[in-house]
Amino acid sequence: MKKLMLMCGILLSMATAKAQFVVTDPTNLASGILNSANEIVQTSNTVSNVIKNFNEVKKVYEQGKEYYDKLKAVNNLIKDARKVQQTVLMVGDISEMYVTNFGKMIDDPNFSSQELSAIAFGYSKLLNESGGLLSDLKQIVNTSSLSMNDKERMEIIDRVYKEVSEYYKLVRYYTNKNISVSYLRAKKQNDGKRVLQLYGTANQKYW
């Protein structure tokens, strides 16, 4: 809840005018995405059965996707708020990669249930770490930082953006490596084409 309130404060403090939020309120959208990400992490850590776990994770993701899609469409933000928006969206992107690709891995006979459990834990850990970085942005809304100048504020935003970007790239790499394992196993059985079809075309896949 603290993270959600934090992002509301960040985006509100960066808004140049109330008119920016007449049609769509990005603070509410950011809160929805972060809430969804946090719930995904919590679900992943509390549900033991892999299939049941994923079904719960998918449910949470789909409930939050409306916020994710709407926040993508918000364009009337000043530079600082735009960078924060992009940072929040990357956390949403990580959730999307998790749900989209892990759902296919569940249907992939090249992974054992133990491996699927380990893969799900890995996704949850990466999502948790990337979401946790957002708490560093509290420095720009704390009462102790009211004297912070624009340069200092942008340095904090840029640093968090860069670190979340690294986690985003890491999740793509993690997805790539897991799918590669399946593909190599399938090739040994002359079934590589099925794996490529399962994980999508060049325009659809993350890997």
Side-chain angles (χ1 to χ4, degrees):
M1 181 58 70
K2 288 183 179 179
K3 284 183 184 176
L4 307 185
M5 296 305 296
L6 163 66
M7 291 308 299
C8 287
I10 291 169
L11 286 170
L12 281 172
S13 68
M14 292 176 179
T16 54
K18 265 190 176 180
Q20 291 180 319
F21 303 100
V22 171
V23 179
T24 305
D25 182 356
T27 64
N28 181 51
L29 301 178
S31 297
I33 291 173
L34 289 174
N35 186 42
S36 177
N38 288 335
E39 286 188 42
I40 287 174
V41 171
Q42 292 169 7
T43 301
S44 298
N45 291 332
T46 56
V47 182
S48 56
N49 180 275
V50 173
I51 303 298
K52 183 178 179 181
N53 175 297
F54 178 71
N55 287 335
E56 291 299 314
V57 165
K58 186 177 180 181
K59 185 189 305 180
V60 172
Y61 170 74
E62 289 175 346
Q63 289 171 347
K65 195 173 186 303
E66 180 181 357
Y67 296 104
Y68 176 73
D69 290 338
K70 286 184 178 179
L71 186 58
K72 275 185 175 180
V74 176
N75 296 311
N76 52 345
L77 295 172
I78 59 175
K79 183 179 179 181
D80 288 8
R82 171 66 62 187
K83 205 65 171 285
V84 173
Q85 177 202 35
Q86 292 171 345
T87 303
V88 176
L89 283 174
M90 278 193 287
V91 175
D93 288 342
I94 291 172
S95 299
E96 184 173 49
M97 279 191 274
Y98 175 7
V99 172
T100 300
N101 291 286
F102 189 70
K104 294 174 180 178
M105 291 175 189
I106 287 177
D107 294 327
D108 190 337
N110 292 307
F111 293 117
S112 68
S113 58
Q114 291 82 3
E115 288 172 328
L116 288 172
S117 180
I119 291 170
F121 176 80
Y123 274 119
S124 175
K125 186 70 174 176
L126 291 168
L127 180 57
N128 185 48
E129 293 294 331
S130 59
L133 282 169
L134 297 178
S135 64
D136 291 348
L137 291 176
K138 66 185 178 182
Q139 297 177 62
I140 68 174
V141 290
N142 272 354
T143 54
S144 61
S145 66
L146 292 177
S147 61
M148 186 177 294
N149 60 41
D150 290 341
K151 181 177 181 296
E152 293 169 330
R153 182 175 291 106
M154 279 306 299
E155 285 176 351
I156 294 172
I157 294 171
D158 287 342
R159 177 180 61 81
V160 174
Y161 175 84
K162 182 179 179 181
E163 292 183 22
V164 173
S165 295
E166 289 302 312
Y167 272 103
Y168 173 78
K169 293 174 185 175
L170 186 57
V171 172
R172 288 180 67 101
Y173 176 78
Y174 180 71
T175 300
N176 184 327
K177 296 303 290 184
N178 284 317
I179 294 175
S180 295
V181 168
S182 172
Y183 180 64
L184 290 174
R185 290 174 178 175
K187 279 194 71 175
K188 290 182 179 179
Q189 304 170 26
N190 296 316
D191 196 25
K193 184 177 180 180
R194 185 197 57 78
V195 171
L196 293 177
Q197 291 174 335
L198 175 63
Y199 292 101
T201 66
N203 294 326
Q204 296 171 328
K205 62 193 178 188
Y206 288 102
W207 53 293

